[in-house]
Amino acid sequence: MIADEVWAKLLWAGLNLDPADLPPTRSGHFYPFELVRAVTLTWLFSGQRSNEIARLRLGCIRWQHDGAPIAGDSQQVLARDAICLLDVPTQKTGITFTKPVDPILGQAIGVWQAVRPDQPKFTDRRTGEHVELLFAVRARRLSTSYINNTIIPMLCRKAGVPDADVRGNITSHRARSTIASQLYNAKEPMTLFELQAWLGHRSP
C-alpha cells in the first residue's frame, strides 16, 4: 500500500492537474492534456493494472440512472445517483467484466473521447482482436510503461512527495493495492467477495 497521506496528495494532484504540469518535449506535449488527465484519473480511481488501462476500448464507459442506461452526454450523468460503469478488457485473471467506478473518472474519459481524433484499429495484445483503443493518438497506442515513467513522477512533483518510500518505488500496481485495501477497510466496506469481483480476481 501507499501511505494514506501520500495517496491523498496524489489524488489531489490528479484532480487538480493542469496543462502546465505535463512534461514538455521539444515539439510540445507528446499527448493531449485531455488524454493525460483521463489516464491519470483512470489510474487513481479504477484499480486496474497498467496494461489493462492501456487496453481499454473506446466506449468503455457506460452510465445508468435508476437502473436504465443513459447517454454519456445526458444531463442525467451529473445526477447524484447516476452510476458510472467501466468495461474492463480480458485480463490475466479473468474475462471481460464491468465494474462501477467514480463518476469523476467517467467524465474525464468522456472529455477525452469528445476530442479524440479517429484512430486505426489496433491488435489487442492479449486477445488478438482488432479493436478501437481508448488511449491512442497519432496512430500510436499508449505505452504500458507510461503510467510508471510519466504519470507517477508528474503527480509526485505536483504533490511534493517523493516517488519512493520505505516499500520502494511508487508504481502503477501499488495504486491497485491501495484502493483495494481502502475499499475493504472503509466505513461501509466491500465484502471480500465483492472486492474480488471488483478487482477481477478468480478467487478471494
Side-chain angles (χ1 to χ4, degrees), residues 36-71:
V36 177
R37 186 171 189 272
V39 172
T40 298
L41 295 183
T42 302
W43 177 65
L44 289 168
F45 287 97
S46 73
Q48 293 307 125
R49 303 174 182 90
S50 58
N51 71 84
E52 294 163 4
I53 293 173
R55 292 173 48 242
L56 288 174
R57 313 287 173 79
L58 192 65
C60 62
I61 287 293
R62 294 182 286 114
W63 296 88
Q64 282 187 354
H65 190 261
D66 291 335
I70 57 177

Side-chain angles (χ1 to χ4, degrees), residues 93-189:
T93 56
I95 60 173
T96 300
F97 70 101
T98 300
K99 62 193 287 184
V101 292
D102 194 295
I104 290 173
L105 166 55
Q107 291 160 14
I109 287 179
V111 169
W112 163 238
Q113 287 187 149
V115 300
R116 175 187 179 274
D118 289 337
Q119 301 295 312
K121 289 187 175 183
F122 296 85
T123 300
D124 186 291
R125 290 168 173 158
R126 180 164 291 274
T127 67
E129 300 171 276
H130 290 284
V131 298
E132 291 186 288
L133 295 178
L134 172 65
F135 296 126
V137 69
R138 293 191 293 277
R140 297 181 64 179
R141 69 178 79 209
L142 184 77
S143 167
T144 55
S145 63
Y146 183 70
I147 293 174
N148 279 337
N149 294 344
T150 303
I151 296 292
I152 293 173
M154 175 182 67
L155 292 180
C156 290
R157 284 194 300 271
K158 185 174 180 68
V161 298
D163 58 8
D165 57 20
V166 293
R167 295 180 178 90
N169 292 333
I170 295 177
T171 63
S172 62
H173 200 79
R174 289 185 64 188
R176 181 173 164 87
S177 302
T178 301
I179 295 168
S181 297
Q182 289 181 345
L183 290 173
Y184 188 70
N185 293 301
K187 186 176 181 180
E188 296 182 9

